[in-house]
Amino acid sequence: MMKQVFSFVFLLTFISPAMAQEDYPGERPKLVVGIVVDQMRYEYLTRYWDRYGEGGFKRLVKQGFNFKNHHFNYIPTATGPGHTSVYTGSTPSEHGIIGNEWFDVFTDTEVYCVADPAVASVGTESDAGKMSPHRLRRSTMTDELRIFNNFKGITVAVALKDRGAVLPAGYTGTAYWFHGKDEGRWVSSTYYMNELPRWVEKFNKSKTASSYRQKWKLLYDKDTYVNSNPDDTPYEQKFKGEKAPVFPHDLPGLWEENGGFDMIKSTPFGNNITTDFALAALEGEGLGEDDVTDFLAISYSSTDYVGHRYGVKAMETEDTYLRLDRDLERLLKSLDEKVGKGEYLVFLTADHGASYNPRYLEDHKMSGGFYKTSEMINGLNDFAQRRFGNAGILRYSGYGQVYLNHSVLDSMELDKEKVRRILADHLLTYDQVEKVFTVDMLRSGDLKTGIAELVQNGYNAKLSGDIFVVFSPGLLSTGYVKGGTSHGTAYVYDTHVPFLLYGKGIRQGYTSDKTVIPDIAPTISSLLGIPFPNGVKGAVRSEAYKINE
């Protein structure tokens, strides 16, 4: 009798309704839509909040879950690593995309994160399509979803930038990106297909891209852009042929000297055509039409091109986000109609933030400035020659890293750790340098807080250099003396970005607890009930999940 009672209690304890409910993934969405807004600081949600409509950003925030304190936990904060970290749930230390470009120790050359000479272009005769995910070292949530569904589901990734599509698509999805110049076409590579699908060819033959060859005028009256600087400031760059960086921007009149269709990328129209193509993919691929979960990855790249040219506080930047808000509303309405309200899941985040232009900071009595990387590299070479009698100990310097020539060090019988320490101490004498980390420090595994942790998460044992350089806050390279902005640092202006969840399985609410980019992939994967990507470092943020009734 006692045994029967124990067995009954055991069943009540270990097969409780609560546990059974936790183990059951629930009804999956028909479609997951992943949105990455390139160069979106979190504050763009709040700064322009009163100007957004109810159907875009506000719909996602008011009806979804907002992670208000969401950050990148590594450097460099750039497009390639950003997209990869979102979709792998890991950091460059794991997934191997350590920058947009980097020095490749195996070939002794600089490489681009998705360039692949082993594949051919599809949809263009140019080399614009010679891209693949072959440098990716970990699986993505899009890969794990397709494998889980025995490849019955569809993954499509679209972006103006090749890396903004290739990396989210992972190994198993399909990626399309926009080739400008004199073509204005969406293209792909033989990694994915031998010819473009009929729906893509139809889109390319349409007049859609050409329709955006128009003047960029402000969406609203100029006097209403009170959250931005005046229209003409020294913190912005001009298009070639313009007398000043002011509205309206005459695309037809400036077309040829600004790269033809490439000019569209540096205007809100690039986001418009991205939405157009994403909706064409939704229809052409039949995404979300059955019970097998599909995935549509969208990267809005024009926000980055506009930001680089005009900076954080420009009217052009504000106008771009107001127009993007309309694109999001258009996208969500189409999802309501084609997939069904409550039948899809959306997340929105960014691949990095952006800095204020240093001249803007200096004009407002804040710390900022410009640096010449070439001067620092030349100085380091001179120091190596004086100190060690051979500048050849330096193999490569760039992208914030220094690579040593280990064969030369061996031939000179020099202690490598000591050489790294001496070079690091020298680099700290430069005004623009804030911190320096050697590979010996990074391999120790003891760097768990602050900037040191971000550097360690960006260090890849097979790919990275011997020394990491962290520049002081508020600095940009001399390429931005004429205006605009950039990113890549460990400072909050580059790390703090949105993370919004909306749709099936998501409750309304928010948290101010700190979360990090690698949390996104396991959170989505757990909600779908699929395996995590194989390099996951993030945590499941279940506070956003809707409680099953």
Side-chain angles (χ1 to χ4, degrees):
M1 183 66 179
M2 287 294 291
K3 184 177 181 180
Q4 289 179 335
V5 171
F6 176 79
S7 298
F8 181 66
V9 172
F10 180 89
L11 287 170
L12 285 177
T13 304
F14 289 90
I15 311 180
S16 68
M19 180 168 284
Q21 190 67 54
E22 283 183 12
D23 290 343
Y24 178 62
E27 189 178 349
R28 296 183 180 88
K30 293 183 177 181
L31 178 66
V32 179
V33 181
I35 301 171
V36 177
V37 183
D38 205 323
Q39 203 186 118
M40 184 175 181
R41 293 161 59 114
Y42 179 85
E43 67 155 310
Y44 292 154
L45 273 181
T46 55
R47 184 193 296 177
Y48 308 137
W49 181 260
D50 292 339
R51 308 209 69 193
Y52 290 140
E54 292 297 322
F57 285 115
K58 282 187 175 179
R59 178 176 173 182
L60 296 178
V61 172
K62 290 183 176 181
Q63 299 178 33
F65 199 90
N66 182 9
F67 295 87
K68 293 186 173 184
N69 191 19
H70 194 66
H71 291 265
F72 281 88
N73 63 339
Y74 65 85
I75 57 173
T77 40
T79 299
H83 284 75
T84 310
S85 298
V86 167
Y87 280 85
T88 62
S90 60
T91 60
S93 61
E94 296 289 330
H95 59 60
I97 305 300
I98 63 173
N100 290 337
E101 302 92 10
W102 64 86
F103 176 74
D104 183 40
V105 295
F106 303 105
T107 61
D108 216 36
T109 58
E110 295 182 0
V111 296
Y112 176 56
C113 59
V114 294
D116 187 354
V119 301
S121 299
V122 174
T124 178
E125 295 297 320
S126 74
D127 289 340
K130 300 180 74 171
M131 309 290 164
S132 85
H134 73 111
R135 298 188 187 279
L136 183 62
R137 293 173 176 263
R138 297 292 185 270
S139 67
T140 62
M141 60 176 148
T142 50
D143 290 325
E144 298 298 341
L145 177 61
R146 290 212 73 206
I147 294 170
F148 181 84
N149 288 329
N150 206 22
F151 296 94
K152 294 176 183 177
I154 300 169
T155 293
V156 177
V158 302
L160 295 182
K161 296 181 180 179
D162 44 38
R163 58 188 181 273
V166 169
L167 297 167
Y171 298 103
T172 62
T174 302
Y176 300 97
W177 52 96
F178 187 72
H179 174 50
K181 306 296 182 182
D182 59 350
E183 295 188 49
R185 293 173 54 83
W186 289 87
V187 302
S188 191
S189 84
T190 51
Y191 178 87
Y192 306 102
M193 65 194 73
N194 292 320
E195 60 182 19
L196 295 177
R198 187 175 302 173
W199 68 267
V200 179
E201 288 287 14
K202 180 180 178 181
F203 189 95
N204 283 336
K205 290 177 182 177
S206 72
K207 301 294 184 181
T208 305
S210 297
S211 70
Y212 293 112
R213 185 175 174 174
Q214 57 181 271
K215 287 186 177 182
W216 176 12
K217 303 176 182 178
L218 284 170
L219 194 58
Y220 302 108
D221 186 271
K222 181 179 290 189
D223 294 338
T224 66
Y225 287 74
V226 296
N227 296 307
S228 302
N229 288 330
D231 195 15
D232 189 6
T233 72
Y235 318 126
E236 306 173 20
Q237 294 185 30
K238 301 176 290 186
F239 281 114
K240 292 179 181 178
E242 281 188 321
K243 294 182 178 179
V246 298
F247 284 99
H249 299 285
D250 184 13
L251 270 67
L254 303 167
W255 191 257
E256 296 301 329
E257 55 188 322
N258 288 278
F261 283 100
D262 279 338
M263 193 177 185
I264 290 176
K265 299 177 183 179
S266 296
T267 73
F269 306 142
N271 289 335
N272 296 155
I273 196 172
T274 301
T275 305
D276 295 338
F277 190 73
L279 294 179
L282 184 70
E283 183 77 28
E285 296 289 347
L287 301 178
E289 291 185 357
D290 56 31
D291 293 331
V292 179
T293 304
D294 297 322
F295 204 114
L296 175 60
I298 306 170
S299 179
Y300 285 108
S301 309
S302 284
T303 42
D304 185 69
Y305 288 107
V306 171
H308 276 296
R309 183 176 295 275
Y310 297 104
V312 170
K313 293 283 288 182
M315 282 188 183
E316 284 82 357
T317 300
E318 181 173 353
D319 197 64
T320 296
Y321 277 90
L322 298 181
R323 290 173 182 269
L324 175 60
D325 184 59
R326 291 188 171 189
D327 270 313
L328 293 175
E329 180 173 5
R330 179 159 63 106
L331 174 65
L332 293 172
K333 283 184 176 179
S334 294
L335 293 171
D336 290 342
E337 296 171 2
K338 297 184 181 299
V339 182
K341 289 185 177 180
E343 296 295 335
Y344 59 89
L345 169 67
V346 175
F347 71 82
L348 183 147
T349 188
D351 57 351
H352 54 76
S355 168
Y356 291 111
N357 183 272
R359 293 177 69 181
Y360 173 84
L361 292 173
E362 291 174 333
D363 286 349
H364 290 82
K365 301 179 181 179
M366 297 180 69
S367 177
F370 300 94
Y371 63 88
K372 267 190 177 180
T373 304
S374 59
E375 288 184 357
M376 189 179 72
I377 293 173
N378 291 337
L380 186 62
N381 284 328
D382 291 342
F383 174 78
Q385 182 65 45
R386 294 194 310 272
R387 180 65 175 77
F388 302 103
N390 188 353
I393 66 169
L394 301 175
R395 184 180 180 189
Y396 178 87
S397 301
Y399 304 112
Q401 298 188 51
V402 177
Y403 293 75
L404 300 184
N405 194 324
H406 288 226
S407 61
V408 173
L409 291 172
D410 288 338
S411 69
M412 297 177 67
E413 298 183 347
L414 292 173
D415 183 311
K416 295 173 186 175
E417 183 174 352
K418 182 177 180 181
V419 170
R420 285 189 283 260
R421 188 168 61 250
I422 291 171
L423 292 173
D425 288 342
H426 172 73
L427 286 166
L428 280 171
T429 65
Y430 289 84
D431 291 339
Q432 67 263 38
V433 174
E434 180 79 7
K435 297 176 185 291
V436 181
F437 298 88
T438 67
V439 68
D440 312 289
M441 300 164 64
L442 300 174
R443 285 175 178 169
S444 71
D446 297 331
L447 309 177
K448 301 296 185 183
T449 59
I451 289 176
E453 180 186 15
L454 274 66
V455 174
Q456 191 163 58
N457 284 335
Y459 166 73
N460 187 283
K462 292 180 71 70
L463 304 173
S464 297
D466 292 85
I467 299 172
F468 273 71
V469 179
V470 177
F471 293 102
S472 300
L475 299 184
L476 289 178
S477 72
T478 51
Y480 293 92
V481 168
K482 294 182 179 180
T485 189
S486 194
H487 47 84
T489 75
Y491 302 110
V492 68
Y493 50 76
D494 279 341
T495 68
H496 190 194
V497 297
F499 174 28
L500 307 176
L501 278 171
Y502 167 87
K504 195 174 188 70
I506 303 301
R507 72 178 183 90
Q508 193 281 327
Y510 70 89
T511 180
S512 295
D513 292 343
K514 185 176 180 179
T515 57
V516 292
I517 282 290
D519 293 342
I520 296 175
T523 299
I524 300 298
S525 299
S526 180
L527 191 66
L528 297 177
I530 65 173
F532 292 178
N534 59 21
V536 158
K537 296 180 70 173
V540 174
R541 307 306 307 195
S542 58
E543 61 265 48
Y545 294 174
K546 186 179 293 183
I547 299 173
N548 294 309
E549 300 174 353

